[in-house]
Amino acid sequence: MRCETCGNEVFDNGEERFACPHCGAEVVAVEESTEERCRRLERELERQKLHSQIEELSAADHFWTRGNLFSMLDRQSERAALERGDFDAARRHLAKAEKWFNIGCLIQIAIAVAVVLFLIFGKY
C-alpha cells in the first residue's frame, strides 16, 4: 500500500492504523477486493521483471563494454519510467538500451578484427 501524504510504499503488518515511517503521517489500511489485490500484484510482478531486465543489461554492459553512454542513458530513463509507473515507456527505453548495447558490442568486435588484420597483414 502507499502513503497518501508522501506517496512512498508502506506495509501495514496487519495493523489498521499506523504512522508512516517516511513522513510520520497517519495511514489507515483499507481492505482491498480480490480483483484489486490481483491487479496490484500483477503490476508489481511486471515492475519487478522490468527492473531485473534493467539490471541484467547493466551488468552485461559493464562486463563486456565497460559502459555505453547511450545504453546507460536509456537505462536511466527506464528507471525513471518505472518510478512513475509508466511500464510502456520503460519497455521502449529497455528496447533502445538493448539496441545500443548490441551496437557497442558490434563496434568492439569490428575493432578487434581490424587490429588482428592489421597485425597479420601489416607486416608484409
Side-chain angles (χ1 to χ4, degrees):
M1 71 186 308
R2 291 199 176 276
C3 173
E4 293 181 10
T5 305
C6 66
N8 289 320
E9 186 81 21
V10 293
F11 300 98
D12 62 0
N13 292 332
E15 300 174 11
E16 290 184 15
R17 293 178 179 268
F18 58 96
C20 175
H22 303 285
C23 66
E26 183 178 29
V27 179
V28 179
V30 178
E31 286 291 320
E32 59 186 354
S33 68
T34 306
E35 294 99 20
E36 291 171 342
R37 183 173 177 83
C38 287
R39 278 194 301 267
R40 181 178 59 81
L41 292 174
E42 286 170 354
R43 282 188 57 82
E44 179 62 22
L45 177 64
E46 186 176 0
R47 189 188 72 74
Q48 289 292 332
K49 284 180 182 179
L50 285 170
H51 182 72
S52 70
Q53 289 173 343
I54 294 171
E55 297 308 319
E56 286 175 15
L57 182 60
S58 181
D61 197 12
H62 288 291
F63 179 75
W64 289 108
T65 65
R66 291 181 300 281
N68 177 328
L69 178 63
F70 299 111
S71 180
M72 286 189 277
L73 290 174
D74 280 319
R75 284 196 313 270
Q76 188 60 31
S77 297
E78 183 180 5
R79 286 183 182 108
L82 279 179
E83 285 290 321
R84 291 191 315 266
D86 189 359
F87 294 155
D88 293 330
R91 282 189 208 94
R92 283 193 307 271
H93 287 294
L94 179 63
K96 286 172 43 178
E98 287 175 344
K99 179 185 79 168
W100 283 112
F101 171 74
N102 292 337
I103 289 171
C105 288
L106 288 175
I107 289 172
Q108 284 196 336
I109 290 170
I111 290 171
V113 168
V115 168
V116 168
L117 290 176
F118 177 75
L119 291 174
I120 291 173
F121 296 112
K123 294 180 181 179
Y124 299 111

